Amino acid sequence: MATSTLFEYTVRDASGKLVSGKMEAADESALVSRLRAQGSAPLSIKQAGVGLNREIRMPGSDRVPLKDLAVMSRQFATMISSGLSLLRALTILAEQTQNKALAKVLATVTTDVQGGSSLSVAMAKHPRAFPPLMVNMTRAGEVGGFLEAVLLQVADNFEAEVKLRAKIKSAMTYPVVVFVIAIVAVVGMLLFIVPIFADMFSSLGGELPLPTRILVVLSDGLRFTAPGLLVLAVVGAAAWGRYRHHARLRAVVDPLKLRVPVFGPLFTKIALSRFTRNLGMMMRSGVPILQALEIVGSTAGNVVLERAGVALQESVRRGDSMAGPLTSHAVFPPMVAQMLAVGEDTGALDTMLEKVSQFYDQEVEATADALTSLIEPLMIAVLGSVIGAMIIALYMPIFSVFTLIN
């Protein structure tokens, strides 16, 4: 299969206007032929990303945020409903989007569609920009002739996901910030304040109280191990960022996340909300049930739900019900299995899934608010206790300083 190269071009269109853009082609002559076929007169063509024009790309820079995808989907649906052609709508989206990575991908998608590919096939070539959920729903919309409605559902889904993530961040920000401040304060006291007091106490003589001796030992140990601990923390963070999505690591970490004492119920409700919302939306859009179950497990963000999706897929393939396998997975409450069973009996499974997702969205919001209200005073008490205990341990010898001087 011939490889294509991305070129930057400047042309004069049929109206005499100068137009610049990017397009993939096998070589320059193929690009010239394609531009002339569009009624444009090529003025300059050069390969993109060569020499000083090469873009500096950071890891993850080609990923597109869900918020930008939601805005793009809603604008795309509006333009299609207004009577614009698919190519014209894609061109406008590529020109007006603020996200450079998305603009570049849309320009490539426009070229592929112009070359005869379907929209879903062109989008599937960019898995880091368009999630499988969006690609499969677009394919269903193309086949069924309701692409506009599908794009609106995609926008609603991504907006709900963005709102859910914002709730999670708001619930996690405060404890994380307080925890980091506590670590920095403790390390700062052990490295810079405790040694000053230790020198002063050693010059006075006498035996230090046990809490003070423990604090001095911790300070001495940290001064020697601080560089190694810093390197270990950096390496650990880099390794976690690189390998956290690997299947073997997720198989250990994801079940533990659902059993964490305080945040476990919140993580469970988030995963259930994503699972039911995505499955209901894909079924409502006409995506085949087996294909939807194959995709929806990975979108839940937890390997436990992914395994449940595989079990559901096998059950449906055998001709059994969907609700049956749910009872063998502890992550699904009985209410979910019962509502799915009712949905299968009444032929309104997508509606039941939507209701379940709405229920868990509300549960996530309520749980996040409750955790925030609980954690704020708890973290303040913990931080005050740690810092206060260190200060008391430092000042205990001072209470007998006059006795030592005499």
Side-chain angles (χ1 to χ4, degrees):
M1 187 174 181
T3 58
S4 59
T5 306
L6 183 65
F7 292 94
E8 297 177 351
Y9 64 85
T10 302
V11 300
R12 192 176 297 277
D13 61 12
S15 62
K17 182 181 177 181
L18 289 177
V19 179
S20 299
K22 295 181 181 180
M23 186 179 295
E24 288 186 349
D27 50 33
E28 290 189 17
S29 59
L31 179 60
V32 170
S33 301
R34 186 179 299 178
L35 292 172
R36 286 177 176 172
Q38 298 174 6
S40 302
L43 299 178
S44 67
I45 295 176
K46 60 182 179 180
Q47 186 175 344
V50 176
L52 295 178
N53 293 322
R54 185 180 298 275
E55 295 182 5
I56 300 175
R57 300 182 64 184
M58 300 296 291
S61 61
D62 54 347
R63 288 190 177 275
V64 180
L66 284 181
K67 184 178 181 180
D68 293 338
L69 288 177
V71 173
M72 186 214 77
S73 301
R74 195 167 295 282
Q75 292 175 343
F76 201 178
T78 301
M79 285 188 281
I80 291 177
S81 64
S82 301
L84 292 179
S85 65
L86 187 63
L87 280 174
R88 182 60 178 162
L90 285 171
T91 303
I92 294 173
L93 287 172
E95 292 175 352
Q96 73 177 16
T97 183
Q98 300 294 324
N99 188 294
K100 293 183 179 181
L102 181 57
K104 183 178 179 180
V105 169
L106 286 173
T108 307
V109 169
T110 304
T111 303
D112 291 341
V113 172
Q114 193 171 15
S117 297
S118 65
L119 178 61
S120 58
V121 171
M123 293 170 63
K125 295 180 181 179
H126 307 278
R128 295 178 66 85
F130 303 112
L133 185 74
M134 185 177 185
V135 174
N136 283 274
M137 288 190 63
T138 302
R139 183 178 294 116
E142 287 177 317
V143 174
F146 46 87
L147 183 60
E148 173 195 348
V150 164
L151 289 172
L152 287 175
Q153 290 180 12
V154 169
D156 292 337
N157 180 272
F158 287 165
E159 287 168 357
E161 180 68 18
V162 170
K163 183 179 179 182
L164 182 65
R165 292 184 180 183
K167 266 294 174 187
I168 300 170
K169 288 181 180 179
S170 65
M172 298 292 292
T173 299
Y174 185 84
V176 169
V177 169
V178 174
F179 180 75
V180 171
I181 292 175
I183 295 296
V184 171
V186 170
V187 171
M189 291 184 67
L190 289 175
L191 288 178
F192 303 107
I193 298 178
V194 174
I196 297 175
F197 279 82
D199 293 339
M200 181 180 66
F201 296 151
S202 62
S203 64
L204 295 176
E207 185 179 358
L208 297 176
L210 178 61
T212 308
R213 294 202 303 271
I214 294 175
L215 205 59
V216 171
V217 170
L218 290 176
S219 176
D220 293 338
L222 186 61
R223 279 189 293 174
F224 288 107
T225 59
L229 292 175
L230 182 60
V231 172
L232 185 63
V234 173
V235 172
W240 172 255
R242 182 174 181 179
Y243 297 108
R244 63 188 177 127
H245 296 298
H246 283 215
R248 297 175 68 178
L249 182 61
R250 289 186 60 201
V252 177
V253 174
D254 285 358
L256 293 177
K257 287 170 60 178
L258 303 182
R259 294 196 293 266
V260 174
V262 178
F263 293 97
L266 178 63
F267 294 147
T268 302
K269 292 170 184 177
I270 291 168
L272 289 173
S273 173
R274 287 173 176 163
F275 186 92
T276 53
R277 181 175 63 248
N278 293 336
L279 181 58
M281 183 185 66
M282 296 183 75
M283 293 184 63
R284 189 165 54 252
S285 301
V287 179
I289 180 63
L290 290 176
Q291 190 174 359
L293 288 171
E294 182 180 357
I295 297 169
V296 77
S298 59
T299 63
N302 195 287
V303 72
V304 177
L305 275 295
E306 193 170 343
R307 293 170 182 169
V310 173
L312 289 176
Q313 188 179 12
E314 293 298 326
S315 177
V316 173
R317 186 177 284 113
R318 293 193 305 266
D320 298 333
S321 66
M322 288 180 57
L326 294 183
T327 57
S328 60
H329 294 273
V331 69
F332 289 99
M335 183 267 291
V336 176
Q338 293 297 325
M339 291 191 69
L340 288 187
V342 172
E344 286 182 311
D345 294 338
T346 59
L349 186 57
D350 56 341
T351 303
M352 286 296 179
L353 287 167
E354 183 180 3
K355 290 182 179 179
V356 172
S357 68
Q358 290 175 354
F359 169 78
Y360 279 109
D361 282 341
Q362 296 173 356
E363 284 289 300
V364 168
E365 186 171 353
T367 304
D369 292 338
L371 283 176
T372 303
S373 302
L374 173 66
I375 288 175
E376 285 184 7
L378 185 62
M379 293 297 290
I380 292 175
V382 171
L383 180 59
S385 300
V386 171
I387 303 299
M390 294 181 67
I391 293 175
I392 291 174
L394 287 176
Y395 279 92
M396 284 179 67
I398 298 179
F399 299 150
S400 57
V401 65
F402 295 106
T403 304
L404 294 176
I405 293 175
N406 293 331

